[in-house]
């Protein structure tokens, strides 16, 4: 028997219920203190998140997009500069580069990791290139060893877009600590999400940290003094209070995400799908569980009809978006990125998901693929999967 309840892509309520007491008492203390302007929670969160990422500094800002913009500005990237990045990302990565007056130079991604292919960087470096922005997409670290190596050889700045990879680590180092600066989003569905907009910049470089801190607060070193042109992008005190609570759970939640990804891979094993590879270390924290299928659209429709929410991250690569084609990107060709946009689909994944829910998604996938093929045998396998015992 198949349950008919819908399975969401992310269930934020389930997580909230599990930490409700801690959240409400943190918010209540913050409101009792009423120190809402870069208050105690912002300062403590900045210390705690810097320590978590293994960097000397963290500056809380208003969003992940602002983190990227302010980090690029603090690194001196501006008009006339070129910044190498990927088109296989959320649009904010390239918007931030454009916002500082620089030009995004788009390169293709590795088909296995879906992240920036380091072998493509050198051919695109010109005398105007100032920075590389690798994106740790879906929670998977980009190949930072190779990327940082190319950057150092050409004196380029590395700004990590770690907005989807809180806590991902390799060789004892965490996302955000490999390049010159790391940028995080705490958008509510991220692995570490606030209950509103929030972001942060982490770095070991005290000068970069100082400049971001100035820029996020109207360029103001002290009240009503403005030494540079800045913006208002301060981290909100209440969001910082929420983030401090959630940070304590992040490693456990990331482990649950990795375990769920392993369950998916085990149950989907024999099917005609390209599954994500699960590294042995924590270099992938599965912000999203993304598979590839050449029958993506049919599969998506079938799963949604069974009450399984499905995402596509992302259906149109940056260079093919109407906002960008007009800016000289119409001739850009990125075959791997374009194939991914046609084939990828994201299955529900969140720490509180039950094995029973994962089994149900996998059963639906088996059925959908079998009916697309007209192969009745697989239908039976799907039914077995649907009724096999779960832990919930
Ligand atoms: C890869 C990537 N970069 C940048 C951002 C922008 O973050 P925010 O939405 O907090 O501005 C996001 C968030 O969705 C993202 O996924």
């Amino acid at each position: 028997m198949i349950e008919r309840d819908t399975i969401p892509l992310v269930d934020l309520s389930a997580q909230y219920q599990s930490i409700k007491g801690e959240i409400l008492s943190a918010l209540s203390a913050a409101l009792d203190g009423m120190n809402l302007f870069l208050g105690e929670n912002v300062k403590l969160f900045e210390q705690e998140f810097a320590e978590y990422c293994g960097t000397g500094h963290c500056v809380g800002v208003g969003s992940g997009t602002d983190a990227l913009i302010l980090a690029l500005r603090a690194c001196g990237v501006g008009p006339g500069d070129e910044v190498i990045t990927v088109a296989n990302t959320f649009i904010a990565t390239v918007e931030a580069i454009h916002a500082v007056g620089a030009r995004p130079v788009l390169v293709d991604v590795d088909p296995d990791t879906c992240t920036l292919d380091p072998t493509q960087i050198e051919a695109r470096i010109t005398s105007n290139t100032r920075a590389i922005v690798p994106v740790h997409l879906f929670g998977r670290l980009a190949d930072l060893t190779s990327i940082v190596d190319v950057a150092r050889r050409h004196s380029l700045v590395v700004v990590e877009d770690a907005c989807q990879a809180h806590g991902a680590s390799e060789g004892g180092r965490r996302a955000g600590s490999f390049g010159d600066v790391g940028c995080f989003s705490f958008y509510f569905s991220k692995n570490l999400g606030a209950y509103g907009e929030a972001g942060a910049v982490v770095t070991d470089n005290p000068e970069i940290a100082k400049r971001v801190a100035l820029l996020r607060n109207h360029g103001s070193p002290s009240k009503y003094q403005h030494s540079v042109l800045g913006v208002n992008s301060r981290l909100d005190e209440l969001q910082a209070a929420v983030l401090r609570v959630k940070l304590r759970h992040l490693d456990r939640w990331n482990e649950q995400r990795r375990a769920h990804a392993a369950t998916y891979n085990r149950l989907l094993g024999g099917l005609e799908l390209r599954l994500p590879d699960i590294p042995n270390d924590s270099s992938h924290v599965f912000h999203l569980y993304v598979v590839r299928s050449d029958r993506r659209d049919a599969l998506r429709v079938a799963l949604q009809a069974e009450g399984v929410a499905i995402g596509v991250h992302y259906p149109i690569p940056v260079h093919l978006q109407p906002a960008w084609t007009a800016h000289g990107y119409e001739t850009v060709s990125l075959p791997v990125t374009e194939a991914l946009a046609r084939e990828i689909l994201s299955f529900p994944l969140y720490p509180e998901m039950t094995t029973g829910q994962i089994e149900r998604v996998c059963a639906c996938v088996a059925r959908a693929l079998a009916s697309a093929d007209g192969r009745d045998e697989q239908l039976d396998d799907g039914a077995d999967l649907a009724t096999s015992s779960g832990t919930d």
Side-chain angles (χ1 to χ4, degrees):
M1 250 283 282
I2 310 292
E3 310 154 43
R4 282 290 151 206
D5 294 344
T6 57
I7 301 182
L9 212 48
V10 175
D11 186 347
L12 296 175
S13 287
Q15 183 179 86
Y16 174 59
Q17 292 307 327
S18 75
I19 51 169
K20 189 170 176 176
E22 289 173 82
I23 293 286
L24 293 181
S25 86
L27 287 174
S28 170
L31 288 169
D32 283 340
M34 213 34 93
N35 183 8
L36 300 179
F37 179 89
L38 297 176
E40 195 67 3
N41 281 293
V42 171
K43 291 193 187 78
L44 288 170
F45 175 70
E46 289 175 340
Q47 280 169 22
E48 289 158 6
F49 196 59
E51 196 178 321
Y52 180 82
C53 293
T55 55
H57 310 270
C58 167
V59 183
V61 297
S63 69
T65 309
D66 281 358
L68 287 160
I69 293 173
L70 300 185
L72 288 164
R73 278 187 67 186
C75 290
V77 178
D81 292 335
E82 290 174 4
V83 176
I84 294 175
T85 191
V86 288
N88 188 41
T89 182
F90 180 60
I91 200 80
T93 313
V94 287
E95 278 175 341
I97 296 167
H98 179 77
V100 302
R103 179 163 181 81
V105 173
L106 304 174
V107 302
D108 217 342
V109 293
D110 178 289
D112 295 323
T113 64
C114 303
T115 64
L116 197 152
D117 178 353
T119 64
Q120 307 217 1
I121 298 175
E122 243 153 355
R124 306 301 302 280
I125 294 176
T126 71
S127 56
N128 294 324
T129 310
R130 280 299 304 276
I132 305 175
V133 180
V135 181
H136 307 314
L137 202 70
F138 309 147
R140 171 153 201 157
L141 288 180
D143 178 357
L144 288 160
T145 309
S146 309
I147 294 167
V148 170
D149 179 57
V150 182
R152 296 295 170 249
R153 279 192 279 112
H154 294 271
S155 305
L156 305 176
V157 171
V158 175
V159 176
E160 290 174 57
D161 182 336
C163 289
Q164 299 191 1
H166 317 73
S169 68
E170 196 172 276
R173 295 176 73 178
R174 284 210 162 107
S177 72
F178 294 84
D180 298 277
V181 53
C183 300
F184 289 88
S185 163
F186 304 120
Y187 180 75
F188 44 79
S189 61
K190 300 298 191 205
N191 290 31
L192 179 62
Y195 291 134
E197 305 288 342
V201 173
V202 299
T203 181
D204 265 335
N205 183 323
E207 286 309 310
I208 294 177
K210 207 163 134 192
R211 282 200 288 275
V212 173
L214 259 187
L215 292 169
R216 72 156 174 199
N217 186 27
H218 302 294
S220 172
S222 57
K223 201 165 188 187
Y224 302 135
Q225 306 254 329
H226 305 278
S227 55
V228 290
L229 294 178
V231 294
N232 175 3
S233 184
R234 296 180 295 263
L235 175 60
D236 178 86
E237 178 71 3
L238 298 182
Q239 300 308 332
V242 168
L243 290 167
R244 290 188 63 214
V245 170
K246 288 194 168 195
L247 183 57
R248 299 199 284 266
H249 299 278
L250 179 59
D251 283 342
R252 179 172 55 84
W253 287 335
N254 280 345
E255 270 317 303
Q256 287 168 329
R257 288 174 179 275
R258 286 174 51 75
H260 294 336
T263 305
Y264 265 127
N265 269 18
R266 182 168 51 78
L267 294 178
L268 296 173
L271 302 178
E272 227 182 283
L273 287 174
R274 185 154 167 191
L275 304 177
D277 138 85
I278 305 183
N280 290 330
D281 57 14
S282 297
S283 55
H284 197 335
V285 289
F286 284 91
H287 172 55
L288 294 167
Y289 179 84
V290 179
V291 305
R292 290 176 69 173
S293 164
D294 51 14
R295 284 175 291 171
R296 188 266 307 278
D297 292 329
L299 200 49
R300 175 151 73 142
V301 169
L303 289 167
Q304 282 169 341
E306 297 231 36
V308 175
I310 294 297
V312 174
H313 301 89
Y314 297 92
I316 308 173
V318 169
H319 61 296
L320 302 177
Q321 290 283 357
W324 288 86
T325 45
H327 291 276
Y329 292 88
E330 60 274 50
T331 55
V332 172
S333 164
L334 301 169
V336 179
T337 298
E338 288 158 29
L340 285 170
R342 285 190 300 272
E343 295 173 11
I344 46 175
L345 68 170
S346 312
F347 291 164
L349 181 70
Y350 45 93
E352 301 73 19
M353 224 180 153
T354 63
T355 305
Q357 285 175 311
I358 299 172
E359 286 173 342
R360 191 181 135 207
V361 175
C362 296
C364 292
V365 174
R367 258 196 310 280
L369 286 172
S371 62
D373 273 357
R375 275 192 265 125
D376 288 342
E377 272 171 35
Q378 278 201 359
L379 263 171
D380 295 338
D381 291 343
D384 285 351
L385 270 169
T387 52
S388 68
S389 67
T391 55
D392 53 329

